[in-house]
Amino acid sequence: GPVPRRQALINGFPASELRVIDHGQGVSRDDVDTMFRPFQRLDDAPSGAGVGLGLAVAKGFTEVMGGVLDAEQTPGGGLTLVIRLPISTGADL
């Protein structure tokens, strides 16, 4: 059955969470840290397939909106990208 998830939070405030799940070969923890840097391409990218800015740009946009972009191992193999964006910062408007 479905795995119950804890409530997504950013700095203690409610957040929405989007998970992009891949069941491929996965990425080591060291490579996860590296892959968010500009101009990084891991060895599974075909020759000429971009300059390695996609994840760096996605992380930058997410953080500008007060969110978090991270990656974690997919159970059973692969990599899951997790995007959390704040629903509320607790501030009165």
Side-chain angles (χ1 to χ4, degrees):
V3 177
R5 297 219 179 266
R6 58 182 173 23
Q7 181 180 2
L9 299 173
I10 297 176
N11 296 324
F13 294 104
S16 60
E17 186 174 87
L18 170 66
R19 292 175 164 264
V20 180
I21 300 170
D22 174 70
H23 292 285
Q25 67 184 17
V27 175
S28 74
R29 186 71 238 178
D30 288 342
D31 283 342
V32 166
D33 293 338
T34 300
M35 74 183 189
F36 287 109
R37 295 184 196 139
F39 306 109
Q40 297 297 316
R41 293 180 52 216
L42 300 183
D43 56 10
D44 65 342
S47 179
V51 295
L53 286 174
L55 286 175
V57 169
K59 188 172 181 71
F61 277 136
T62 302
E63 290 175 353
V64 163
M65 293 185 286
V68 178
L69 171 58
D70 199 5
E72 57 189 48
Q73 303 302 315
T74 301
L79 188 75
T80 298
L81 290 175
V82 182
I83 300 168
R84 286 193 310 275
L85 292 170
I87 296 171
S88 169
T89 61
D92 291 330
L93 299 178

Coordinates of all heavy atoms in Angstrom, one line a residue:
G1 N 0.8 -1.2 0.0 CA 0.0 0.0 0.0 C 0.8 1.3 0.0 O 2.1 1.2 0.0
P2 N 0.2 2.4 0.0 CA 0.9 3.7 0.0 C 1.7 3.9 1.3 O 1.3 3.4 2.3 CB -0.1 4.7 -0.2 CG -1.5 4.1 0.0 CD -1.2 2.6 -0.1
V3 N 2.8 4.5 1.2 CA 3.7 4.8 2.3 C 3.2 6.1 2.9 O 3.2 7.1 2.2 CB 5.2 4.9 1.9 CG1 6.0 5.2 3.1 CG2 5.6 3.6 1.3
P4 N 2.8 6.1 4.2 CA 2.5 7.4 4.8 C 3.7 8.3 4.9 O 4.8 7.9 5.2 CB 1.9 7.0 6.2 CG 2.4 5.6 6.5 CD 2.7 5.0 5.1
R5 N 3.5 9.6 4.6 CA 4.5 10.6 4.6 C 4.3 11.6 5.7 O 3.1 11.9 6.0 CB 4.6 11.3 3.3 CG 4.9 10.4 2.1 CD 5.8 11.1 1.2 NE 6.2 10.3 0.0 CZ 7.3 9.5 0.0 NH1 8.1 9.5 1.0 NH2 7.5 8.8 -1.1
R6 N 5.4 12.0 6.3 CA 5.2 13.1 7.3 C 4.9 14.4 6.5 O 5.1 14.5 5.4 CB 6.5 13.3 8.1 CG 7.7 13.5 7.2 CD 9.0 13.6 8.0 NE 10.2 13.8 7.3 CZ 10.5 14.2 6.1 NH1 9.6 14.6 5.3 NH2 11.7 14.3 5.7
Q7 N 4.3 15.3 7.3 CA 3.9 16.6 6.7 C 5.2 17.3 6.2 O 6.2 17.4 6.9 CB 3.2 17.4 7.7 CG 2.7 18.8 7.1 CD 2.0 19.6 8.1 OE1 1.8 19.2 9.2 NE2 1.5 20.8 7.7
A8 N 5.1 17.9 5.0 CA 6.3 18.6 4.5 C 6.3 20.0 5.1 O 5.3 20.7 5.3 CB 6.1 18.8 2.9
L9 N 7.5 20.4 5.6 CA 7.7 21.6 6.3 C 8.9 22.3 5.8 O 9.9 21.7 5.3 CB 7.9 21.4 7.8 CG 6.8 20.8 8.6 CD1 7.2 20.5 10.0 CD2 5.5 21.7 8.6
I10 N 8.9 23.6 5.8 CA 10.1 24.5 5.6 C 10.2 25.4 6.7 O 9.3 26.2 7.0 CB 10.1 25.2 4.3 CG1 10.0 24.2 3.1 CG2 11.3 26.2 4.1 CD1 9.9 24.9 1.7
N11 N 11.3 25.3 7.5 CA 11.5 26.2 8.7 C 10.3 26.1 9.6 O 9.8 27.1 10.2 CB 11.8 27.6 8.3 CG 13.1 27.8 7.6 OD1 14.0 27.1 7.9 ND2 13.1 28.6 6.6
G12 N 9.7 25.0 9.7 CA 8.5 24.8 10.6 C 7.2 25.1 10.1 O 6.2 25.0 10.8
F13 N 7.1 25.7 8.9 CA 5.9 26.1 8.3 C 5.4 25.1 7.2 O 6.3 24.5 6.5 CB 6.0 27.5 7.7 CG 6.2 28.6 8.7 CD1 7.4 29.1 8.9 CD2 5.2 29.0 9.5 CE1 7.7 30.1 9.9 CE2 5.3 29.9 10.5 CZ 6.6 30.5 10.7
P14 N 4.1 24.9 7.0 CA 3.6 24.0 6.0 C 4.2 24.3 4.6 O 4.3 25.4 4.2 CB 2.1 24.2 6.0 CG 1.8 24.8 7.3 CD 3.0 25.7 7.6
A15 N 4.4 23.2 3.9 CA 4.9 23.3 2.5 C 4.3 22.3 1.6 O 3.8 21.2 2.1 CB 6.5 23.1 2.5
S16 N 4.2 22.6 0.3 CA 3.8 21.6 -0.6 C 5.0 20.8 -1.1 O 6.1 21.3 -1.0 CB 3.1 22.2 -1.8 OG 4.0 23.1 -2.5
E17 N 4.8 19.6 -1.5 CA 6.0 18.7 -1.9 C 5.7 18.0 -3.2 O 4.6 17.4 -3.4 CB 6.3 17.7 -0.8 CG 7.5 16.9 -1.0 CD 7.8 16.0 0.1 OE1 7.3 14.9 0.2 OE2 8.6 16.5 1.0
L18 N 6.6 18.1 -4.1 CA 6.5 17.5 -5.4 C 7.7 16.5 -5.5 O 8.8 16.9 -5.3 CB 6.6 18.5 -6.6 CG 6.7 17.9 -8.0 CD1 5.5 17.1 -8.4 CD2 7.0 19.0 -9.0
R19 N 7.4 15.2 -5.8 CA 8.5 14.2 -5.9 C 8.5 13.7 -7.3 O 7.5 13.3 -7.9 CB 8.3 13.1 -5.0 CG 8.4 13.5 -3.5 CD 8.0 12.3 -2.6 NE 8.6 12.7 -1.3 CZ 9.7 12.3 -0.8 NH1 10.5 11.5 -1.5 NH2 10.2 12.7 0.4
V20 N 9.7 13.8 -7.9 CA 9.9 13.2 -9.3 C 10.8 12.0 -9.1 O 12.0 12.1 -8.7 CB 10.6 14.3 -10.2 CG1 10.9 13.7 -11.6 CG2 9.9 15.6 -10.3
I21 N 10.2 10.8 -9.3 CA 10.8 9.6 -8.9 C 11.3 8.9 -10.2 O 10.6 8.7 -11.1 CB 9.8 8.7 -8.2 CG1 9.3 9.3 -6.9 CG2 10.4 7.3 -7.9 CD1 8.1 8.7 -6.3
D22 N 12.6 8.5 -10.1 CA 13.2 7.8 -11.2 C 13.7 6.4 -10.6 O 14.2 6.4 -9.5 CB 14.4 8.6 -11.7 CG 15.2 7.8 -12.7 OD1 14.7 7.6 -13.8 OD2 16.3 7.3 -12.4
H23 N 13.5 5.4 -11.4 CA 14.0 4.0 -11.0 C 15.2 3.6 -11.8 O 15.3 2.4 -12.0 CB 12.8 3.0 -11.1 CG 11.7 3.3 -10.1 ND1 11.8 3.0 -8.8 CD2 10.5 3.9 -10.3 CE1 10.7 3.4 -8.2 NE2 9.9 3.9 -9.1
G24 N 16.0 4.5 -12.2 CA 17.2 4.2 -13.0 C 18.4 3.7 -12.1 O 18.2 3.1 -11.0
Q25 N 19.6 3.9 -12.5 CA 20.8 3.4 -11.8 C 21.1 4.2 -10.6 O 21.9 3.7 -9.7 CB 22.0 3.5 -12.8 CG 22.4 4.9 -13.1 CD 23.6 4.9 -14.1 OE1 23.8 3.9 -14.8 NE2 24.3 6.0 -14.2
G26 N 20.5 5.3 -10.4 CA 20.7 6.1 -9.1 C 21.9 7.0 -9.2 O 22.7 6.9 -10.2
V27 N 22.2 7.7 -8.2 CA 23.3 8.6 -8.1 C 23.9 8.5 -6.7 O 23.1 8.5 -5.7 CB 22.9 10.1 -8.4 CG1 24.0 11.1 -8.2 CG2 22.3 10.2 -9.8
S28 N 25.2 8.4 -6.5 CA 25.8 8.4 -5.2 C 25.6 9.7 -4.5 O 25.3 10.7 -5.1 CB 27.3 8.1 -5.3 OG 28.0 9.3 -5.8
R29 N 25.7 9.6 -3.1 CA 25.5 10.8 -2.3 C 26.5 11.9 -2.7 O 26.1 13.1 -2.8 CB 25.6 10.5 -0.8 CG 25.3 11.6 0.1 CD 23.8 12.0 0.1 NE 23.6 13.3 -0.3 CZ 22.4 13.9 -0.4 NH1 21.3 13.2 -0.2 NH2 22.3 15.2 -0.8
D30 N 27.7 11.6 -3.0 CA 28.7 12.6 -3.4 C 28.3 13.2 -4.7 O 28.4 14.4 -4.9 CB 30.1 11.9 -3.6 CG 30.7 11.5 -2.2 OD1 30.3 12.1 -1.2 OD2 31.6 10.7 -2.2
D31 N 27.8 12.4 -5.7 CA 27.4 13.0 -7.0 C 26.1 13.8 -6.8 O 25.9 14.8 -7.6 CB 27.1 11.8 -8.0 CG 28.4 11.3 -8.6 OD1 29.5 11.9 -8.5 OD2 28.4 10.2 -9.1
V32 N 25.2 13.5 -5.9 CA 24.1 14.3 -5.6 C 24.5 15.7 -5.2 O 24.0 16.7 -5.7 CB 23.1 13.7 -4.5 CG1 22.1 14.7 -4.0 CG2 22.4 12.5 -5.1
D33 N 25.5 15.8 -4.4 CA 26.0 17.2 -4.0 C 26.6 17.9 -5.2 O 26.4 19.1 -5.3 CB 27.0 17.0 -2.9 CG 26.5 16.5 -1.6 OD1 25.2 16.6 -1.4 OD2 27.2 15.9 -0.8
T34 N 27.2 17.2 -6.1 CA 27.9 17.8 -7.2 C 26.9 18.2 -8.3 O 27.0 19.2 -9.0 CB 28.9 16.8 -7.8 OG1 29.9 16.5 -6.8 CG2 29.6 17.4 -9.0
M35 N 25.8 17.4 -8.5 CA 25.0 17.6 -9.7 C 24.2 18.9 -9.6 O 23.7 19.3 -10.7 CB 24.0 16.4 -9.9 CG 22.9 16.3 -8.9 SD 22.0 14.8 -9.2 CE 20.6 15.0 -8.1
F36 N 24.1 19.5 -8.5 CA 23.3 20.8 -8.4 C 24.2 22.0 -8.7 O 23.7 23.1 -8.8 CB 22.7 21.0 -7.0 CG 21.5 20.1 -6.8 CD1 21.5 19.0 -5.9 CD2 20.3 20.3 -7.5 CE1 20.4 18.2 -5.7 CE2 19.2 19.5 -7.3 CZ 19.3 18.4 -6.4
R37 N 25.5 21.8 -8.9 CA 26.4 22.9 -9.2 C 26.3 23.2 -10.7 O 26.1 22.3 -11.5 CB 27.9 22.5 -8.9 CG 28.1 22.3 -7.4 CD 29.6 22.0 -7.1 NE 29.7 21.5 -5.8 CZ 30.5 20.5 -5.5 NH1 31.3 19.9 -6.4 NH2 30.6 20.1 -4.2
P38 N 26.5 24.5 -11.1 CA 26.5 24.8 -12.5 C 27.5 24.1 -13.3 O 28.6 23.8 -12.9 CB 26.7 26.3 -12.6 CG 26.4 26.8 -11.2 CD 26.7 25.6 -10.3
F39 N 27.2 23.7 -14.6 CA 28.1 23.1 -15.6 C 28.5 21.7 -15.2 O 29.6 21.3 -15.6 CB 29.3 24.0 -15.9 CG 28.8 25.4 -16.3 CD1 29.0 26.5 -15.5 CD2 28.2 25.6 -17.5 CE1 28.6 27.8 -15.9 CE2 27.8 26.9 -17.9 CZ 28.0 28.0 -17.1
Q40 N 27.7 21.0 -14.4 CA 28.0 19.6 -14.1 C 27.2 18.7 -14.9 O 26.0 18.9 -15.0 CB 27.8 19.4 -12.6 CG 28.6 20.2 -11.6 CD 30.1 19.9 -11.8 OE1 30.5 18.7 -11.9 NE2 30.9 20.9 -11.9
R41 N 27.8 17.7 -15.4 CA 27.0 16.7 -16.1 C 27.5 15.3 -15.7 O 28.7 15.1 -15.7 CB 27.2 16.8 -17.6 CG 26.5 18.1 -18.2 CD 26.7 18.2 -19.7 NE 26.3 17.0 -20.3 CZ 26.8 16.5 -21.4 NH1 27.9 17.1 -22.0 NH2 26.4 15.4 -22.0
L42 N 26.7 14.4 -15.2 CA 27.1 13.1 -14.8 C 27.3 12.2 -16.0 O 26.9 12.6 -17.1 CB 26.1 12.5 -13.8 CG 25.9 13.4 -12.6 CD1 24.9 12.7 -11.6 CD2 27.2 13.6 -11.8
D43 N 28.0 11.1 -15.8 CA 28.5 10.3 -17.0 C 27.4 9.6 -17.8 O 27.7 9.1 -18.8 CB 29.5 9.3 -16.5 CG 28.9 8.4 -15.4 OD1 27.7 8.4 -15.1 OD2 29.7 7.6 -14.8
D44 N 26.1 9.7 -17.4 CA 25.1 9.0 -18.2 C 24.5 10.0 -19.3 O 23.6 9.5 -20.0 CB 24.0 8.5 -17.3 CG 23.2 9.6 -16.6 OD1 23.7 10.7 -16.5 OD2 22.1 9.3 -16.1
A45 N 24.9 11.2 -19.3 CA 24.4 12.2 -20.3 C 25.1 11.9 -21.7 O 26.3 11.9 -21.7 CB 24.7 13.6 -19.9
P46 N 24.3 11.8 -22.7 CA 25.0 11.6 -24.1 C 25.8 12.8 -24.5 O 25.5 13.9 -24.0 CB 23.8 11.4 -25.0 CG 22.6 11.8 -24.3 CD 22.9 11.8 -22.8
S47 N 26.8 12.6 -25.3 CA 27.6 13.7 -25.7 C 26.8 14.8 -26.4 O 25.9 14.5 -27.2 CB 28.7 13.2 -26.7 OG 29.5 14.2 -27.2
G48 N 27.0 16.1 -26.0 CA 26.3 17.2 -26.6 C 24.9 17.4 -26.1 O 24.2 18.2 -26.6
A49 N 24.6 16.7 -25.0 CA 23.2 16.9 -24.4 C 23.2 17.9 -23.3 O 22.9 17.6 -22.2 CB 22.8 15.5 -23.8
G50 N 23.5 19.2 -23.7 CA 23.3 20.3 -22.7 C 24.6 20.6 -22.1 O 25.7 19.9 -22.2
V51 N 24.6 21.7 -21.3 CA 25.8 22.2 -20.7 C 25.8 22.0 -19.2 O 26.8 22.4 -18.5 CB 26.0 23.7 -21.0 CG1 26.3 23.9 -22.5 CG2 24.9 24.6 -20.5
G52 N 24.8 21.4 -18.6 CA 24.8 21.1 -17.2 C 24.3 22.2 -16.3 O 24.7 22.4 -15.2
L53 N 23.3 22.9 -16.8 CA 22.7 24.0 -16.0 C 21.3 23.7 -15.5 O 20.9 24.4 -14.6 CB 22.7 25.3 -16.9 CG 24.0 26.0 -17.1 CD1 23.8 27.2 -18.0 CD2 24.6 26.5 -15.8
G54 N 20.7 22.7 -16.0 CA 19.3 22.5 -15.7 C 19.0 22.4 -14.2 O 18.1 23.1 -13.6
L55 N 19.7 21.5 -13.4 CA 19.4 21.4 -12.0 C 19.9 22.6 -11.2 O 19.2 23.0 -10.2 CB 20.1 20.1 -11.5 CG 19.4 18.8 -11.9 CD1 20.3 17.6 -11.4 CD2 18.0 18.7 -11.3
A56 N 21.0 23.3 -11.6 CA 21.4 24.5 -11.0 C 20.4 25.6 -11.1 O 20.0 26.3 -10.1 CB 22.8 24.9 -11.5
V57 N 19.8 25.7 -12.3 CA 18.7 26.7 -12.5 C 17.5 26.4 -11.7 O 16.9 27.2 -11.0 CB 18.4 26.9 -14.0 CG1 17.2 27.7 -14.2 CG2 19.6 27.5 -14.7
A58 N 17.1 25.1 -11.7 CA 15.9 24.7 -11.0 C 16.1 24.9 -9.5 O 15.2 25.4 -8.8 CB 15.6 23.2 -11.3
K59 N 17.3 24.6 -9.0 CA 17.5 24.8 -7.6 C 17.5 26.3 -7.2 O 16.9 26.7 -6.2 CB 18.9 24.2 -7.2 CG 19.2 24.3 -5.7 CD 20.4 23.5 -5.4 CE 20.7 23.4 -3.9 NZ 19.8 22.6 -3.1
G60 N 18.0 27.2 -8.1 CA 18.0 28.6 -7.9 C 16.6 29.2 -7.9 O 16.2 29.9 -7.0
F61 N 15.8 28.8 -8.9 CA 14.4 29.2 -8.9 C 13.6 28.8 -7.7 O 12.9 29.5 -7.1 CB 13.7 28.7 -10.1 CG 13.9 29.5 -11.4 CD1 14.2 28.9 -12.6 CD2 13.8 30.9 -11.4 CE1 14.4 29.6 -13.8 CE2 14.0 31.6 -12.5 CZ 14.3 31.0 -13.7
T62 N 13.8 27.5 -7.3 CA 13.1 27.0 -6.1 C 13.5 27.8 -4.9 O 12.6 28.2 -4.1 CB 13.5 25.5 -5.9 OG1 13.1 24.8 -7.1 CG2 12.7 24.9 -4.7
E63 N 14.8 28.1 -4.7 CA 15.2 28.8 -3.5 C 14.8 30.2 -3.5 O 14.4 30.8 -2.4 CB 16.8 28.7 -3.4 CG 17.2 27.3 -3.0 CD 18.7 27.0 -3.0 OE1 19.5 27.9 -3.3 OE2 19.1 25.9 -2.5
V64 N 14.7 30.9 -4.7 CA 14.2 32.3 -4.7 C 12.7 32.3 -4.3 O 12.3 33.3 -3.7 CB 14.4 32.8 -6.2 CG1 13.5 34.0 -6.4 CG2 15.8 33.1 -6.5
M65 N 12.0 31.3 -4.5 CA 10.6 31.2 -4.1 C 10.5 30.7 -2.6 O 9.4 30.4 -2.2 CB 9.8 30.3 -5.0 CG 9.7 30.8 -6.4 SD 8.6 29.8 -7.5 CE 9.7 28.4 -7.8
G66 N 11.6 30.6 -1.9 CA 11.6 30.2 -0.5 C 11.5 28.7 -0.3 O 11.2 28.2 0.8
G67 N 11.8 28.0 -1.4 CA 11.6 26.5 -1.3 C 13.0 25.8 -1.2 O 14.0 26.4 -1.1
V68 N 12.9 24.5 -1.3 CA 14.1 23.6 -1.2 C 14.0 22.6 -2.3 O 12.9 22.0 -2.6 CB 14.1 22.9 0.2 CG1 15.2 21.9 0.3 CG2 14.1 23.9 1.3
L69 N 15.1 22.3 -3.0 CA 15.2 21.3 -4.0 C 16.3 20.4 -3.5 O 17.5 20.8 -3.3 CB 15.5 21.8 -5.4 CG 15.8 20.8 -6.5 CD1 14.7 19.8 -6.7 CD2 16.1 21.5 -7.8
D70 N 16.0 19.1 -3.4 CA 17.0 18.1 -2.9 C 16.8 16.8 -3.6 O 15.8 16.7 -4.4 CB 16.9 17.9 -1.4 CG 18.2 17.3 -0.8 OD1 19.2 17.1 -1.5 OD2 18.2 17.0 0.4
A71 N 17.7 15.9 -3.4 CA 17.5 14.6 -4.0 C 17.8 13.5 -2.9 O 18.5 13.7 -2.0 CB 18.5 14.4 -5.1
E72 N 17.1 12.4 -3.1 CA 17.3 11.3 -2.2 C 17.2 10.0 -2.9 O 16.7 9.9 -4.1 CB 16.2 11.3 -1.0 CG 14.8 11.3 -1.5 CD 13.8 11.6 -0.4 OE1 14.0 12.5 0.4 OE2 12.8 10.8 -0.3
Q73 N 17.7 8.9 -2.4 CA 17.7 7.6 -3.0 C 16.3 7.1 -3.1 O 15.5 7.2 -2.2 CB 18.6 6.6 -2.2 CG 20.0 7.0 -2.1 CD 20.7 7.3 -3.4 OE1 20.6 6.5 -4.3 NE2 21.4 8.4 -3.5
T74 N 15.9 6.6 -4.3 CA 14.6 5.9 -4.4 C 14.7 4.5 -3.9 O 15.6 3.8 -4.2 CB 14.2 5.8 -5.9 OG1 14.2 7.1 -6.5 CG2 12.9 5.2 -6.1
P75 N 13.7 4.1 -3.0 CA 13.7 2.8 -2.5 C 13.7 1.8 -3.7 O 12.9 1.9 -4.6 CB 12.5 2.7 -1.6 CG 12.2 4.1 -1.2 CD 12.7 4.9 -2.4
G76 N 14.6 0.8 -3.7 CA 14.6 -0.2 -4.7 C 15.6 0.3 -5.9 O 15.7 -0.5 -6.8
G77 N 16.1 1.4 -5.8 CA 17.1 1.9 -6.8 C 16.6 3.1 -7.6 O 15.4 3.2 -7.9
G78 N 17.5 4.0 -7.9 CA 17.1 5.2 -8.6 C 17.3 6.4 -7.7 O 17.9 6.4 -6.7
L79 N 16.8 7.6 -8.2 CA 16.9 8.8 -7.5 C 15.6 9.6 -7.6 O 14.9 9.5 -8.6 CB 18.0 9.7 -8.3 CG 18.3 11.0 -7.6 CD1 19.2 10.7 -6.4 CD2 19.1 11.9 -8.6
T80 N 15.2 10.2 -6.5 CA 14.0 11.0 -6.4 C 14.4 12.4 -6.1 O 15.1 12.7 -5.1 CB 13.1 10.5 -5.2 OG1 12.7 9.1 -5.5 CG2 11.8 11.3 -5.1
L81 N 13.9 13.3 -7.0 CA 14.1 14.8 -6.7 C 12.9 15.3 -6.0 O 11.8 14.9 -6.3 CB 14.2 15.5 -8.1 CG 15.5 15.3 -8.8 CD1 15.5 16.0 -10.2 CD2 16.7 15.8 -8.0
V82 N 13.2 16.0 -4.9 CA 12.1 16.5 -4.0 C 12.1 18.0 -4.0 O 13.1 18.6 -3.7 CB 12.3 16.0 -2.6 CG1 11.2 16.4 -1.7 CG2 12.4 14.5 -2.5
I83 N 11.0 18.6 -4.4 CA 10.8 20.1 -4.4 C 9.8 20.4 -3.4 O 8.7 19.9 -3.4 CB 10.3 20.6 -5.8 CG1 11.3 20.2 -6.9 CG2 10.1 22.1 -5.8 CD1 10.8 20.4 -8.3
R84 N 10.2 21.2 -2.4 CA 9.2 21.7 -1.4 C 9.1 23.2 -1.5 O 10.1 23.9 -1.6 CB 9.7 21.3 0.0 CG 9.6 19.9 0.3 CD 9.8 19.6 1.8 NE 11.0 20.1 2.4 CZ 12.2 19.5 2.4 NH1 12.3 18.4 1.7 NH2 13.2 20.1 3.0
L85 N 7.9 23.7 -1.6 CA 7.6 25.1 -1.6 C 6.7 25.5 -0.5 O 5.7 24.8 -0.2 CB 7.0 25.5 -3.0 CG 7.8 25.3 -4.2 CD1 7.0 25.5 -5.5 CD2 9.0 26.3 -4.2
P86 N 6.9 26.6 0.2 CA 6.1 27.0 1.3 C 4.7 27.3 0.9 O 4.5 28.0 -0.1 CB 6.8 28.3 1.9 CG 7.6 28.8 0.7 CD 8.0 27.7 -0.2
I87 N 3.8 26.9 1.7 CA 2.4 27.2 1.6 C 2.1 28.5 2.3 O 1.3 29.4 2.0 CB 1.4 26.1 2.1 CG1 1.6 24.8 1.2 CG2 0.0 26.5 2.1 CD1 1.0 23.6 1.8
S88 N 2.8 28.6 3.5 CA 2.6 29.8 4.4 C 3.9 30.0 5.1 O 4.6 29.1 5.5 CB 1.5 29.5 5.4 OG 1.5 30.5 6.4
T89 N 4.3 31.3 5.3 CA 5.4 31.7 6.1 C 5.0 32.1 7.4 O 5.9 32.5 8.3 CB 6.2 32.8 5.4 OG1 5.4 34.0 5.3 CG2 6.7 32.4 4.0
G90 N 3.7 32.1 7.7 CA 3.2 32.5 9.0 C 3.1 34.0 9.1 O 2.6 34.5 10.1
A91 N 3.4 34.8 8.1 CA 3.4 36.2 8.2 C 1.9 36.7 7.8 O 1.3 36.1 6.9 CB 4.3 36.9 7.2
D92 N 1.5 37.7 8.5 CA 0.2 38.3 8.2 C 0.4 39.2 7.0 O 1.3 40.0 7.0 CB -0.4 39.0 9.4 CG -0.8 38.1 10.5 OD1 -1.2 37.0 10.2 OD2 -0.7 38.5 11.7
L93 N -0.5 39.1 6.0 CA -0.4 40.0 4.9 C -1.3 41.2 5.0 O -2.3 41.2 5.7 CB -0.7 39.3 3.6 CG 0.2 38.1 3.3 CD1 -0.2 37.4 2.0 CD2 1.6 38.6 3.1

